[in-house]
Amino acid sequence: MALVPISDLLKDAEAGGYAVGAFNCNNMEIVQAIATAAQEERSPVIMQASQGAIKYAGIEYITAMANMAASMIDVPVALHLDHGTSFEQTMRCIRSGFSSVMIDGSKLPLEENIALTKQVLAVARAVGVSVEAELGKIGGTEDDIHVNEADAYFTDPEEAKRFVEETGVDALAIAIGTAHGRYKGEPKLDFARLEKIRALVNIPIVLHGSSGVPEQAIREAIRLGVRKVNIDTNIREAFVGACRKVLADKPDEIDPRNVLGPARAAAVEIIREKIRIFGSSGKA
């Protein structure tokens, strides 16, 4: 199948009361794992590439691999830029063939975030690409983006209402207590804030930093209106953990296939598990 914008996937998720998993990819094996898991679960899926992934693999490779993976399965696949921080970067991804982009102006004052988001939307809408934006700062580190705990703040519901009304963005990432990277303790999500935002904002809500959030908390967030859930760290943990096991068991192993094959299989399993938690299994 051809790549589709996330707006198509999230519209169906809204109608069905589930969320679509957005899984970060950095190399061929992880792209293959995402596609395999989605096909086996009969689930729509979002492949995400962050600035770090694009820098590592190259935008041409990321786009080509995603297109190839999508063409080999018969479930809907979106290719999405995760945490784009400039107009120029989002345009580069759109020109390369991404079906969706995120413009993250959350570090900017509200008015500047709105203006930047509208600038990206003006171009993206003209070519059928959907746009995610962010309001509120999500703590932690993701590739080149770092937000100190002291600088992280939760999304204000009234600001979210204004932001969506003035931009018309397709999806909104909000800060309600999640963080990028590994958690030091168990995260506590502000469900009351999520409910207030959802009551004021009639578009799909996105939950970033979801690796390590307890399953029941994820399910509750989805019940309250989250329609896109981002997973990266859990995939890295499973992938690298499998590599370490092979090398520990067989320290003389030099065939990359014998190391990366089990890592890919481990990634498939964690992605399948997340898809089932999100409720999108069987929805393709």
Side-chain angles (χ1 to χ4, degrees), residues 6 31 65 87 105 107 174 181 190:
I6 64 168
V31 169
M65 288 190 295
F87 176 80
K107 290 187 177 182
I174 61 172
D190 189 342

Side-chain angles (χ1 to χ4, degrees), residues 103-115:
I103 180 64
D104 182 359
S106 60
K107 290 187 177 182
L108 302 172
L110 179 60
E111 290 75 13
E112 293 181 30
N113 191 356
I114 289 172

Side-chain angles (χ1 to χ4, degrees), residues 9-19 222 227 278-279 283:
L9 305 184
L10 302 187
K11 180 180 178 181
D12 291 340
E14 181 65 33
Y18 60 88
I222 293 170
R227 297 294 171 245
F278 302 159
K283 297 297 193 297

Side-chain angles (χ1 to χ4, degrees), residues 35-256:
T36 297
Q39 182 72 9
E40 291 179 352
E41 291 294 328
R42 302 300 304 162
S43 171
V45 73
I46 299 165
M47 293 186 185
Q48 295 193 149
S50 64
Q51 296 182 57
I54 291 171
K55 182 178 180 180
Y56 171 76
I59 194 169
E60 297 85 3
Y61 279 98
I62 291 287
T63 308
M65 288 190 295
N67 274 290
M68 176 60 71
S71 73
M72 296 177 69
I73 59 179
D74 62 354
V75 298
V77 179
L79 176 59
H80 181 68
L81 168 65
D82 190 26
H83 287 289
T85 53
S86 71
F87 176 80
E88 292 74 19
Q89 186 179 58
T90 60
M91 293 304 106
R92 183 175 174 228
C93 288
I94 289 172
R95 286 195 298 270
S96 181
F98 280 55
S99 60
S100 297
V101 295
M102 177 189 183
I103 180 64
D104 182 359
S106 60
K107 290 187 177 182
L108 302 172
L110 179 60
E111 290 75 13
E112 293 181 30
N113 191 356
I114 289 172
L116 177 60
T117 302
K118 289 173 71 173
Q119 185 184 19
V120 173
L121 274 161
V123 177
R125 285 271 164 79
V127 292
V129 170
S130 54
V131 178
E132 173 188 337
E134 183 173 323
L135 196 61
K137 295 179 183 177
I138 298 167
T141 299
E142 182 164 15
D143 293 329
D144 298 331
I145 302 171
H146 177 73
V147 178
N148 293 320
E149 290 183 16
D151 294 328
Y153 64 84
F154 287 1
T155 304
D156 179 87
E158 291 296 333
E159 286 191 356
K161 181 175 184 290
R162 178 187 167 192
F163 187 90
V164 171
E165 288 177 348
E166 293 194 23
T167 63
V169 72
D170 296 300
L172 183 67
I174 61 172
I176 58 168
T178 57
H180 295 120
R182 283 179 161 173
Y183 289 98
K184 297 175 183 177
E186 182 176 309
K188 304 295 184 183
L189 304 192
D190 189 342
F191 293 118
R193 184 178 300 270
L194 172 57
E195 281 191 280
K196 290 178 183 177
I197 293 171
R198 194 65 182 86
L200 296 172
V201 173
N202 192 30
I203 64 168
I205 300 298
V206 181
L207 195 64
H208 284 239
S210 301
S211 293
V213 177
E215 177 181 333
Q216 191 53 46
I218 292 289
R219 292 185 186 275
E220 179 64 5
I222 293 170
R223 187 185 73 81
L224 294 174
V226 166
R227 297 294 171 245
K228 176 176 177 277
V229 181
N230 287 19
I231 298 291
D232 184 8
T233 300
N234 283 157
I235 299 174
R236 298 186 191 197
E237 290 170 337
F239 192 91
V240 175
C243 289
R244 286 178 174 147
K245 186 177 187 310
V246 171
L247 294 174
D249 293 344
K250 301 177 181 179
D252 295 328
E253 181 61 71
I254 62 168
D255 189 336

